[in-house]
Amino acid sequence: MRKNIVAGNWKMNLNRSEGLTLVEDVLSKLPVDNKTHVILAPSFVYLYKVAKMCSDIPKVVAASQDCSANEKGAFTGEVSASMIASCSARYVVLGHSERRTNFTETNELLKTKVGQVFANDLKVIFCCGESLAQRENGVHFDWIKSQISESLFHLSVEEFKNIVIAYEPIWAIGTGVTASTDQAQVVHAFIRNLLVEKYGNEVAEGTSILYGGSCQPNNAIELFSQKDIDGGLIGGASLNADDFVAITQSF
Ligand code: PGA
């Protein structure tokens, strides 16, 4: 059975002490019988500390927000997947729309990054999603299909079991406009069907597909009740412990 996952993408927010205080708050507010897999994606700068703070807490792990496409060497300012693994993180978020847009990350580059992540025994949260113009022009399904197939469909069945997909319509990210539950469910079902066609039922049914884009405590329950929505990738609301913990308990 696939996992319910709620991941907090802090983006470039919170200094070290603010970040560590948020982790303490989140951990203290999570119920003892928490059943959701919770992932915290802070800045690289204190990723190690966050990962250590989570290490004794069942079902809570740390992720990085990106990694280099290169293994090592003369790439000033870059952070490799092996460095991330050595900081006790478990996941790497790849292909967030802000990286695709602001840092011109292509499907081909992301394919290389996936290779680096897997070479270091980490898992991937792979983001995909369309712009408003693409949706209005009716090309969003083709776009999402190409994002997923060009970056991930070289993977074997065994490798694909280490992929989590996050569907994040760009028009819903940080805008306060959430995709309706129907809009989200339709795309999630489309993505799961792509996985059925490529990898078969077992992989498709075992892959968690998260929704991201203005997910809040007041809409998470409805979103997460949809058949193909297995949790969320949370930006703004992950910076508030009460909101984030409420979202983690919205299944
Ligand atoms: P948001 O961001 O929740 O602030 O819309 C989601 C994301 O970018 O992952």
Side-chain angles (χ1 to χ4, degrees):
M1 217 182 77
R2 56 192 187 251
K3 293 177 187 165
N4 288 332
I5 297 175
V6 171
N9 171 16
W10 295 1
K11 311 190 180 185
M12 199 174 72
N13 293 297
L14 308 177
N15 65 25
R16 185 176 195 273
S17 89
E18 291 165 343
L20 302 188
T21 301
L22 177 59
V23 177
E24 274 170 14
D25 277 1
V26 166
L27 297 182
S28 71
K29 286 173 174 161
L30 271 179
V32 266
D33 64 343
N34 169 50
K35 293 181 181 57
T36 304
H37 291 262
V38 176
I39 302 172
L40 300 174
S43 156
F44 286 128
V45 180
Y46 41 86
L47 177 59
Y48 174 70
K49 182 67 181 167
V50 171
K52 285 291 161 197
M53 289 171 80
C54 301
S55 63
D56 290 336
I57 316 290
K59 295 194 162 63
V60 185
V61 297
S64 71
Q65 299 173 15
D66 183 35
C67 74
S68 173
N70 296 289
E71 185 189 343
K72 62 178 176 182
F75 301 99
T76 302
E78 287 279 89
V79 177
S80 71
S82 106
M83 294 170 183
I84 292 162
S86 75
C87 287
S88 306
R90 299 288 176 73
Y91 287 83
V92 178
V93 179
L94 288 181
H96 191 282
S97 64
E98 288 151 18
R99 296 215 55 89
R100 291 177 186 267
T101 307
N102 300 333
F103 304 95
T104 56
E105 295 199 355
T106 61
N107 295 340
E108 191 61 30
L109 178 85
L110 292 167
K111 180 179 177 182
T112 309
K113 290 192 177 194
V114 169
Q116 288 299 325
V117 171
F118 282 0
N120 290 281
D121 296 327
L122 294 161
K123 297 174 194 279
V124 171
I125 300 176
F126 183 83
C127 305
C128 59
E130 80 286 359
S131 67
L132 188 56
Q134 287 169 321
R135 176 167 280 266
E136 285 172 350
N137 290 327
V139 296
H140 51 298
F141 291 116
D142 286 346
W143 177 254
I144 291 163
K145 180 176 181 178
S146 64
Q147 287 181 314
I148 292 175
S149 62
E150 289 174 22
S151 296
L152 300 179
F153 278 4
H154 63 291
L155 297 172
S156 68
V157 164
E158 276 315 302
E159 287 172 325
F160 204 90
K161 291 179 180 166
N162 294 310
I163 297 282
V164 171
I165 292 186
Y167 167 58
E168 300 204 300
I170 298 173
W171 45 274
I173 295 177
T175 57
V177 181
T178 318
S180 71
T181 41
D182 285 351
Q183 284 173 322
Q185 165 57 25
V186 164
V187 177
H188 281 239
F190 170 77
I191 293 170
R192 201 173 305 284
N193 195 47
L194 288 179
L195 305 188
V196 172
E197 284 170 6
K198 174 69 185 173
Y199 291 107
N201 270 319
E202 195 195 328
V203 169
E205 283 304 318
T207 302
S208 299
I209 307 178
L210 315 184
Y211 168 79
S214 299
C215 185
Q216 303 281 342
N218 64 11
N219 55 32
I221 291 180
E222 205 186 327
L223 284 162
F224 298 174
S225 69
Q226 299 299 303
K227 183 169 159 286
D228 291 295
I229 303 183
D230 307 309
L233 179 56
I234 317 299
S238 73
L239 302 175
N240 176 292
D242 289 318
D243 287 351
F244 183 66
V245 171
I247 295 170
T248 69
Q249 303 306 304
S250 295
F251 294 93

